[in-house]
Every structure is written in structure tokens, then in C-alpha cells.
Amino acid sequence: MKSRHETWLRPPGVDPEEAAELLLRDLHSSRRGLSSAEARRRLHQYGPNELRRARGRRWPVQLARQLTHPLALLLWLAAALLLAVGSKVVAAAVVLIILLNAAFAFVQELQAQRAVEALSRYLPQRAKVQRDGERVEVDAVELVPGDIVVIEEGDRIAADVRLLAGAIETDMSALTGESVPELRSAALMDTQVPVMQAHDLVLSGANCTGGEAHGVVFATGMTTELGRIAALSQRVKQETSPLERQVRRVAWLIAAVSVVLALAFVPLAVFGAHLSLTNSVIFAAGLLAGMVPEGLLPVITLALALAVRALAARGALVKRLSAVETLGSTDVICTDKTGTLTENRMRPVAVWTPAGLTGLEPEPGAGESPRRDGPDLRAAARIAAACNNADIRQDDEPSGDPTEVALLLGAQALGADTDAGRREAARRWQFHFDPELKLMSTLDQCDGDIVVHTKGAPEAVLPRCTSMLDERGTPTALDDDGRSRITVQADAFASDGLRVLALARRTLPAGRPAPHRREEAEYDLCFVALMALLDPPRAEVADAVAACRTAGIRIIVITGDHPLTAAAIARRVGITGDRPRVVTGEELDRLHEHRIAELTSSEPEIIFARASPEAKLHIADALQSQGHVVAMTGDGVNDAPALHRADIGVAMGRSGTDVAREASTMVLTDDNFASIVEAVRDGRRIYDNVRKFIVYIFTHSTPDVVPFLVYALAGGLVPLPLTILQLLAFDVGTETLPALALSREKAEPGLMRRPPRPRSEGVIRTPMLLRAWLFLGVLVAALQMAGFFYVLVEAGWHPGDPTGPGTPLHHAYQQATTMTLLGMIAGQVGTAFAVRTQHASLRSVGVLSNRPLLAGIAGALLLAAVFVYAPPFQALLGTAALPPSTLLLLLPYPFVVWGADELRRYLIRRRERTRGRRAPAGGGARPE
């Protein structure tokens, strides 16, 4: 019978179905794991633990897509028309433009892909392994067959593993499509069953949703089951962002307008200018080629890719280009408290037992007591040390959850044994922390007895307690007065912004087996103590919150912490005032979805405390149903649905689980709320810059068309002011570099004082078109035509005079068309400076602050000089050198265009200030 593993490439002689000790022998490993030297040798032998995709043949397909893009097809049509009527030179020029645009777009697409792929280097997946007899964290790509791995709740399993001890629940949806968690346990041996059904195997790509287990790696990389599936299908889905779709529609609009103008030009040229049909088709095809904005999409792609890189450098890893634009329209941020608003560097401040308060460090308001010993304090310290998975070694940084590290430090301060090895040896069972129950418990061997040690939220622990420990260490009945005292003290801690955990225990009857179900262990507990932990707010959060307020972005705190603690921190960083509306998890669970929507819309300052991960999902749904663009933070396994549902799911890079990072759109490497605000700022800036270079490109449609319209409407009295090849040289040569530089423009003043952009608002608005076509475009067209007629008239030309080759005015005509071309380029310089701001004055952002734009303009001017003075280009384009006196006439052109737009923006700002003085407070002007 053929083994289910025969098709796998793995260490020879290895069969994951055999007994654990035999498997370890075949893998030349042990339960202590591999040595570091052996792991390095195996990494060289078996290769990195990663999926290799067949990328080698993708680039021809990508390049071909650029050559057959719908707008490129229009250019191919124009080239075919030109070739059909015998205009081979112009046809060749159009084909060259197609090839240049395709190459440019191809390069930008590759850069964008590399920008996103490079994010994996910032935040590699990690795995916990036994190396040299100690538990360490390594990059998941360094896992090798024979490694002993530790799998905990929230981990993404990075290799195919045979479990050796423990049990976990796994989400195998990445492999099976079924999202129902499945039990995988070392105690459940399966043979001769399909891989997916083997209960002692966990496979690469699955997620651990609960429990803890140890196992040995038997397959990595492409030899895993996931690698086998990946080898069968090497397709990578390319996601088109909403912004790119909008711009594509705009490009089609331009193409349609271009076709209409080109078709309309033919009868105008034939019947108005009395051109031959052949010449009319040539001009129409050239006009079509000149107006197609083929470079628009790659410039936008490049702008988004640059934004992704910039955000990554500041600690916000955006996993998709499309998310950058969504960030710019975010108007609600739902944030966790711990680690996001606070430093997540907790330290123990005080411990309270029914006998009184004991300060663990000098802290105003925490109280101090010389008493550091006593049966009650020793019991509290033992619980804090036993019900814990953190590790604090003398020479190393503490490892583990910050809350557990703080508890362990508190236990150490009270004299408890905090050695991780002895703790593990005494542990008999663990009930991992449940975010729904807000509890964690362990069963530990203590002085011959099995003791349940429990920690959790006071309101979760207290109902499970029937007694409390007095100062002598004797359990006494817990009456209503005792419960009230505990609750009052917990509230007092929380009101000071401290995180509070209750500690309790129960000694199990001798001779009975240890319970393996929570409900059989976490009851009839004896309350021992409250421990207060301080997690101060991050210093930069208050400024970030203030920036959100001025930007019209609402902040909602959703936390699993105590309501009073959440309110104190929110008040301290400026999210709320003194009386926010606080909704607890129990209250939220009783509310219908429409009531949640009413609460979020009617309460300007609201906090959801003790909220479950499912509550986050309901809140996201409620906000989105009102049309809000929602950013949601999360770090746990159960946060994944809410992170998926939100417009921007934000996972924590330090404290977050692999599952949360996988479900998110953005990962914060520093877990910092201020990084979210910076990402929103960058999203707005990039969207603004996209609009700027769209206005820049659209502006030149008018001066592109006007020379041809003048020629057609003049009925032959005026020669063509701009040749087709000169037009193509302008559109492809001098226009591109400044457009690229505009995508690097810094944020405009007042960017974060505007209200968020509505979700339905398109990238192009009517004021933009009016500014581009009928204001800036008309100015540039008027200037270029004025220069054209000036040169002709100075040479003695009158309407109707011949200007063709061999005529006395032919050289003057070449100079005049050159003046038209240079007039467009000079006007283009003014346009580039004008569109740098949509609303503010250019002085407010710095006239010379965009150095890439200055370099782009310098490059365009240098190219213009080559077009005019290099003999080969003179022969190709029909240009002629201009005298210095004529060139001086071009100097005011950029200042006229720039100055006119500066005046227009000044008048708009003055009108808005006038309206602001007349209108009631509130609201904000939206820039064009």
C-alpha cells in the first residue's frame, strides 16, 4: 500500500506515523532539541523554510500586459492609422512611445511589488524552538527537520510538526477551507488516515487558537503539505486598489475625449483647413497619441509604493498598496488601551489583601507599608508566580506577556520562587487565559497537594470565590461586606489608572484526579489578593490624539480592562473628558445591533470596557453601517474577525499574535497609537499628491489641443502651430519627470485640520477639472499661442502667407513652432509649482522644498535644450534655434501661470475666512 508521505521530499527514512521516540531517532534529534551548530548545518542541507514561487516566467506576462493595456491599444490603433496613410516616421514615434510607456509602467510595477514583498524583512514570522537545551525564538525560515518547537495560542504554525506533548486547537482553514477549530493532541495517534485528519500532526499554515504543545518538525518549506499545494498552483492574485480603479476610469474618459476630438478634427481639417484626408488622419492620429495619459497609472503605483516604504520606516507595515488610500479617508479609530495607548511596560505597584495595602514601590496614591511578609502575602506571591508563563532571568531581558512579567516581578518582590524550571516541574495542568472568561488557572503540586491557582479580572474571579484569606493565612467566609471591600479597593486602583488583577486559589481533595475541565476547577475559590500594575501612557499619544481631533477623526477605546482604568487612561491622553459614556461587556452583550449603532452615533465620547473580541466585530459593523471608514486595532486570536471586517485592521507587531498579524491590513512594529495617526497623515498626503499630478497632467490637455483647433478653425490661414512630433516629444519627454516628483510632495499645511474624505468621494472632482482645463490649461495655451504669433509676425508673416519648405518664411515658421513647444514647457514649469498646493500658498510649504521637483524641472529644461539645439532633433522635430531676445520672452511664462493660480488660491482662502467669520463655529472647508 502506498504511503501517504511517499511523494514528500524529507529526511530519508522518516515516517511521521511511527512512534515518537523512533521518529526522533530517525530525525537524529531529541526532546532537548538540536544544537545551534547542527541547526545551521541542516539549514544549509535542507534550505530555508519558505515557499518558493515560480516567479521566473512572470515578467514576460507583466510586460505583455503593459503592451496590451486598453490605452496602449489606442496608441497601437493610432500607429496603424499613421502607417496606413504612409506617415512612417510619426508611426515609428508612436510605437516608440508605446514601448517607452510599457517599460516605464513595468519597472514601476516591479518596484511596487518589491516594496510590499520587502515588508517581510521588517517583521519576519517567529517560531519558538529548543536549541542547545534552552527555549529561544528564531525566524520561522530557519526551522529545520528535527527542531523541537513550542506552539502556543496565537501562533501561526510554520512547518509540519508531529506533536510530542500537549494538545492544541487549530484553525486549518488555510488548508481545508473549514474555519471550525480542530483538536490536535500528542495523545491521539492516527495511522493510515489522510494527512489533514491525523490528530497528532499539525501542518504549516494552520493557526493555533488555544492550548500549548511541543512537537518535532519533520518537513519544512516546499516539502510541507502547504508547499505541495503551493507547487500545484503558483498563481499570485494581483489586487487592484479602488484608487487605481478610479484612475483607470478617468483614463478611459480621457481616451474617449481624445477619440472624439480626433474624429472631430478630421472633418474640421478637411472642410475648414482644406487639408487632404490623408493629412487630416495623420493629424488626428497624432492628436490621439499625444493626449493618452499612459503614464498616469504607473506614477500612481509608484506613489503608493513609496508611501508603503516610508510608513514601514516609521513602524507601520502596510501589507497592501490599496490600504494607503483607505488610511487617508479613515474617520474612526477603534483602539485598544494596553500597549497601544500605554507603554505596555507594566510594573507592580501595590498588593492588597483583606489585611491591608502593601506598596511594592514608591508610587503616589498607591500607599506604602513596611509589611512585606505574612501568610496572606506569601500566598499571593505564590499564586502570581505559579499562574504565570513569563520568565525573568538575572542576565536576560524578561520574556513573556508584559502583564505576567509584572506579576512575576511582584511575586519576586514578595519573596516567592520565580524560577521557570521549577514552576514547570510542579505544574500539572493549565487552563490558558480566556478573553471571554477573563481568567487563567493552573493546577500545581504544592507541598503534596494539587492546588488551583487562578488570576483574572476582579469581577470574574470574585463570583467564583466563597472564602477569603485573612492575615493569618486562614480561610474565612466571604460575606457581602467582604465582597464590597474588595470591589471598592479594585475600583480605587482602577480610578488611578492602574490595572488590577485578582488572585485566588483552591486546594483539591487528596486522592482525586486533577480536573481537566475549567468548570471543575475554577469554583469554590478562596480570594487571596488584588495586585495593582502601572502601565503609563505613551508620551507621544496625547499629541497624536490632539491631531486626530483637529483632523475630524473620532477615537473609540475598546479594551478588556476595567472600566475605571480605561476611563482614567482615556482622560489622561485626551480622548475623553471627565464624563465619558462607559459601556461594559455585559451591557454590550445585551444590546441589539441597531442599539449599538445608536450608541456609537449619539455618544461623542464612548468607551467599551471589558469588551470581548466579538464585541469589536459588532462595533465595527455598527460604525460601517453608518458610512464610517474604520481602523481597528487588535492583537489576539479572537480579534481576527474584527481585523478582517474593519476597513483597516491594525495588528500589534510586538505583542500581537501571528493570527492577528495575518488578518490585519497594517502591522505596527512599535505597537504605538501615534504610528496609526502618522499612517493616516501619510494616506491623506499621498491621496493629495495623486490629485496634484492628475491636475498637472490634465492641464496640458488644453495646450495640446488648442494648436490643432486654431489650425483647423483658421481655414488654412494659420499654419499648424505645433507639429505632431513636437507634441509627442513634449508629452513623453518633458512632462514625465515633474509628474514623478509631485508624488514626493510633502504634506500641505492644514492637512490634518481637514475633515476626513467621504468614502464615496472620487479621486477627481469638478473643481479639479475646471482648474486644469479652463484655468491653468487656458493660461498655458494662451501664452504658447502668443509666443507663436509673436515670432511669425516679427518675421513679416501675414495670415495666409505660405510657410512650407522652400518658402522665405519657412525658417521663421520653424522658430515659431519651437516657440510654441518652449512656451508649453515654460508653462509646464509654472503649472508644476502651482499644483504643489491645492489650497495653501506655496510659500507656506517652501518654494524650493521639493528637491526632486527641482531636479525634474532641470531635467525637462535640459531635454528642451536638446530638442531645440541638437541637430539630429532639429531634423527630426522640425525645431530651430531661437535668438536670446526671443528666449527672454519665455522667462515670465512660469511666473504668470504660477502667480495667477497663487492669486486664485488667495482669493478662495479670503472668501472662506469671510464665510468663517459669518458662519457659526464648526465644520471645515474641503479643499478642491
Coordinates of all heavy atoms in Angstrom, one line a residue, residues 716-719 788-789 791-803 809 812-813:
G716 N -6.9 77.3 -43.0 CA -5.7 77.4 -43.8 C -5.0 78.7 -43.7 O -3.9 78.8 -44.3
L717 N -5.5 79.7 -43.0 CA -4.9 81.0 -42.9 C -3.7 81.0 -41.9 O -2.8 81.8 -42.0 CB -5.9 82.1 -42.5 CG -7.0 82.3 -43.5 CD1 -8.0 83.4 -42.9 CD2 -6.5 82.8 -44.9
V718 N -3.8 80.0 -41.0 CA -2.7 79.9 -39.9 C -2.1 78.6 -40.1 O -2.7 77.6 -40.1 CB -3.3 80.1 -38.5 CG1 -2.2 79.9 -37.5 CG2 -4.0 81.5 -38.4
P719 N -0.7 78.5 -40.2 CA -0.1 77.2 -40.3 C -0.2 76.5 -38.9 O -0.4 77.1 -37.9 CB 1.4 77.6 -40.6 CG 1.6 79.0 -40.0 CD 0.2 79.7 -40.2
F788 N 3.9 81.9 -30.4 CA 3.9 81.5 -31.8 C 3.7 82.7 -32.7 O 4.4 82.9 -33.7 CB 2.9 80.4 -31.9 CG 2.6 80.0 -33.3 CD1 3.5 79.2 -34.0 CD2 1.4 80.4 -34.0 CE1 3.2 78.8 -35.3 CE2 1.2 80.1 -35.3 CZ 2.1 79.3 -36.0
F789 N 2.6 83.4 -32.4 CA 2.2 84.5 -33.3 C 3.3 85.7 -33.3 O 3.5 86.3 -34.3 CB 0.8 85.1 -33.0 CG -0.3 84.2 -33.5 CD1 -1.1 83.5 -32.6 CD2 -0.4 83.9 -34.8 CE1 -2.1 82.7 -33.0 CE2 -1.5 83.1 -35.3 CZ -2.3 82.5 -34.4
V791 N 6.6 85.4 -32.9 CA 7.7 85.1 -33.8 C 7.3 85.2 -35.3 O 8.1 85.8 -36.1 CB 8.2 83.7 -33.5 CG1 9.3 83.2 -34.5 CG2 8.8 83.6 -32.1
L792 N 6.1 84.7 -35.6 CA 5.7 84.8 -37.1 C 5.6 86.3 -37.5 O 6.0 86.7 -38.6 CB 4.4 84.1 -37.3 CG 4.5 82.6 -37.5 CD1 3.2 82.0 -37.8 CD2 5.5 82.2 -38.7
V793 N 4.9 87.0 -36.7 CA 4.6 88.4 -37.1 C 5.9 89.2 -37.1 O 6.1 90.1 -38.0 CB 3.6 89.1 -36.1 CG1 3.5 90.6 -36.3 CG2 2.2 88.4 -36.2
E794 N 6.8 89.0 -36.2 CA 8.1 89.7 -36.2 C 8.9 89.4 -37.5 O 9.7 90.2 -38.0 CB 9.0 89.3 -35.0 CG 8.6 90.0 -33.7 CD 9.0 91.5 -33.8 OE1 10.2 91.8 -34.0 OE2 8.1 92.3 -33.6
A795 N 8.6 88.2 -38.1 CA 9.3 87.8 -39.3 C 8.6 88.3 -40.6 O 9.0 88.1 -41.7 CB 9.4 86.3 -39.4
G796 N 7.5 89.0 -40.4 CA 6.8 89.6 -41.5 C 5.7 88.8 -42.0 O 5.1 89.0 -43.1
W797 N 5.2 87.8 -41.3 CA 4.1 86.9 -41.7 C 2.8 87.6 -41.6 O 2.5 88.4 -40.7 CB 4.1 85.7 -40.8 CG 2.9 84.8 -41.1 CD1 2.8 83.8 -42.0 CD2 1.7 84.8 -40.3 NE1 1.6 83.2 -41.9 CE2 0.9 83.8 -40.9 CE3 1.2 85.5 -39.2 CZ2 -0.4 83.5 -40.4 CZ3 0.0 85.2 -38.7 CH2 -0.8 84.2 -39.3
H798 N 1.9 87.3 -42.6 CA 0.5 87.7 -42.6 C -0.3 86.5 -42.7 O 0.1 85.5 -43.4 CB 0.2 88.8 -43.7 CG 1.0 90.1 -43.5 ND1 2.3 90.3 -44.0 CD2 0.6 91.2 -42.8 CE1 2.7 91.5 -43.7 NE2 1.7 92.1 -43.0
P799 N -1.6 86.5 -42.2 CA -2.4 85.4 -42.4 C -2.5 85.0 -43.9 O -2.8 85.8 -44.7 CB -3.8 85.9 -41.9 CG -3.4 86.9 -40.9 CD -2.2 87.6 -41.4
G800 N -2.4 83.7 -44.1 CA -2.4 83.1 -45.4 C -1.1 83.0 -46.1 O -1.0 82.3 -47.2
D801 N 0.0 83.6 -45.6 CA 1.3 83.5 -46.2 C 1.8 82.1 -46.1 O 1.6 81.4 -45.1 CB 2.3 84.5 -45.6 CG 2.0 85.9 -45.9 OD1 1.2 86.2 -46.8 OD2 2.6 86.8 -45.2
P802 N 2.4 81.6 -47.2 CA 2.9 80.2 -47.2 C 4.2 80.1 -46.3 O 5.0 81.1 -46.2 CB 3.3 80.0 -48.7 CG 3.6 81.3 -49.2 CD 2.6 82.2 -48.6
T803 N 4.3 79.0 -45.6 CA 5.4 78.8 -44.6 C 6.0 77.4 -44.9 O 6.8 77.0 -44.0 CB 4.9 78.9 -43.2 OG1 3.8 77.9 -43.0 CG2 4.4 80.3 -42.9
L809 N 9.5 82.2 -45.5 CA 9.1 82.2 -44.1 C 9.2 80.8 -43.4 O 8.8 80.7 -42.3 CB 7.6 82.7 -44.0 CG 7.4 84.1 -44.2 CD1 5.9 84.4 -44.2 CD2 8.0 85.0 -43.2
A812 N 11.3 81.0 -40.2 CA 10.6 81.7 -39.2 C 9.5 80.8 -38.7 O 9.2 80.8 -37.4 CB 10.0 83.0 -39.8
Y813 N 8.9 80.0 -39.5 CA 7.8 79.1 -39.1 C 8.4 78.0 -38.1 O 7.8 77.7 -37.1 CB 7.1 78.4 -40.3 CG 6.3 77.3 -39.9 CD1 5.0 77.5 -39.3 CD2 6.6 75.9 -40.2 CE1 4.2 76.4 -38.9 CE2 5.8 74.9 -39.9 CZ 4.6 75.1 -39.2 OH 3.8 74.0 -38.8

